[in-house]
Amino acid sequence: MEQLLLPAPAKLNLWLHITGRRPDGYHELETVFQFLDHADELGFALRGDGQIRLNTEIDGVPHDSNLIVRAARLLQQQTGTALGADIWLHKVLPMGGGIGGGSSDAATTLLGLAHLWQLDWSEDRLAALGLTLGADVPVFVRGHAAFAQGVGEQLTPVAPQEPWYVVLVPQVSVSTAEIFSHPELTRDSLPLKMRPVPEGNSRNDCQPVVEQRYPEVRNALNSLGKYTEARMTGTGSCVFGAFPSKAEADRVLALLSETQTGFVAKGSNVSMLHRKLQSLLKKSSA
């Protein structure tokens, strides 16, 4: 059975400002998303009987609740296709790490099945559908580094530098809902007036609350902070720092490896997923 193999890359929030809270409880924010060349991998195979089957079990996540299955069934319902799919997942990205694992898997599912089922859906339609699954899904569907506003769905492409990153993975899973509902969370950062988006005077407004509640995250920030500016991504738990070369990033990770778990990855303004899909389109049109 021929499989379509696609990556579901990680993202970083290079910074994250929370500018308000809406009546429905969602938070208004400003952030910059950048992708990493570090990814889960999903495999897709066509089924003619309309069934959606995720053939990889994820601990603690029931089959029908998995974002991959939900994304596949939602696309199936919205398009009326009679086709189905077998799906496999090779999980690399940590859950509860703030690097977008579940949202990225959902976006790869939408784009992968649109390709497999030969749907004539635009990126705009897929991104709008993805938003109903989660606020971070649209940026993965669009696949370009972006300045984000609203709940994270209003995206403006940007082109920050693409350094090498050390990403530390504290062995805790941070609940996004817990952090966003915390009474001490900063919710009144002033919206930025400058364009293009400045790199200075930025921070992650979630970081103080997470550091307070999760000493493992605080320890990771302190460890990496000895070598470069260290910052948390999203609501954590992963923390990252930039380096000018892979060799330097590898050296620092090796120094930290006795007490910290992590990986080295290249920052990328075009996601691995979109680069792979573009190469598939070139092959099919050749």
Side-chain angles (χ1 to χ4, degrees):
M1 188 184 300
E2 187 176 344
Q3 277 191 60
L4 171 65
L5 295 175
L6 293 173
K11 60 83 175 167
L12 295 177
N13 296 86
L14 301 187
W15 48 265
L16 174 60
H17 298 171
I18 301 172
T19 58
R21 193 176 195 174
R22 304 190 324 193
D24 62 8
Y26 283 93
H27 288 75
E28 297 277 350
L29 54 85
E30 293 183 335
T31 189
V32 167
F33 290 111
Q34 187 178 44
F35 300 100
L36 294 176
D37 283 354
H38 188 74
D40 290 346
E41 185 178 61
L42 282 88
F44 303 91
L46 198 63
R47 292 181 69 102
D49 61 6
Q51 289 194 54
I52 300 294
R53 286 190 182 170
L54 175 60
N55 297 300
T56 308
E57 289 189 14
I58 305 296
D59 287 344
V61 183
H63 178 274
D64 289 357
S65 300
N66 193 295
L67 269 176
I68 293 168
V69 175
R70 289 171 56 201
R73 288 180 175 163
L74 185 62
L75 185 63
Q76 194 181 48
Q77 291 161 9
Q78 293 294 313
T79 60
T81 181
L83 298 173
D86 278 301
I87 306 173
W88 294 265
L89 171 65
H90 175 55
K91 192 70 184 159
V92 172
L93 307 182
M95 297 173 70
I99 56 177
S103 296
S104 188
D105 291 344
T108 293
T109 299
L110 293 175
L111 287 163
L113 291 180
H115 182 87
L116 192 70
W117 293 340
Q118 298 184 339
L119 302 176
D120 186 22
W121 269 47
S122 68
E123 195 175 272
D124 286 346
R125 281 185 85 183
L126 289 169
L129 191 64
L131 181 60
T132 67
L133 295 163
D136 285 353
V137 178
V139 73
F140 288 108
V141 170
R142 295 191 180 280
H144 200 284
F147 170 59
Q149 296 168 284
V151 296
E153 87 290 4
Q154 299 171 28
L155 301 170
T156 304
V158 293
Q161 293 182 345
E162 298 176 313
W164 287 87
Y165 290 104
V166 170
V167 181
L168 299 183
V169 186
Q171 299 304 293
V172 290
S173 178
V174 176
S175 164
T176 298
E178 174 199 356
I179 301 307
F180 274 118
S181 63
H182 197 282
E184 294 180 21
L185 180 68
T186 297
R187 298 181 173 88
D188 58 358
S189 287
L190 293 175
L192 293 174
K193 295 188 172 77
M194 297 275 295
R195 298 288 186 276
V197 180
E199 292 188 15
N201 300 318
S202 58
R203 67 204 164 272
N204 184 333
D205 283 339
C206 299
Q207 188 169 309
V209 172
V210 177
E211 283 192 72
Q212 175 191 328
R213 296 187 61 80
Y214 296 89
E216 298 91 341
V217 176
R218 184 172 64 249
N219 291 340
L221 285 160
N222 289 339
S223 296
L224 187 55
K226 294 173 184 175
Y227 302 96
T228 186
E229 181 185 3
R231 187 169 292 171
M232 191 178 77
T233 176
T235 54
S237 61
C238 292
V239 304
F240 65 94
F243 294 88
S245 67
K246 184 178 187 298
E248 182 67 9
D250 285 339
R251 183 185 73 83
V252 169
L253 183 61
L255 291 170
L256 295 173
S257 61
E258 283 190 14
T259 58
Q260 301 289 339
T261 300
F263 59 88
V264 167
K266 183 79 163 62
S268 179
N269 293 336
V270 177
S271 80
M272 294 174 70
L273 171 61
H274 278 250
R275 301 200 308 263
K276 179 70 179 285
L277 287 170
Q278 285 163 8
S279 72
L280 289 174
L281 288 172
K282 283 180 183 176
K283 284 180 185 175
S284 64
S285 61

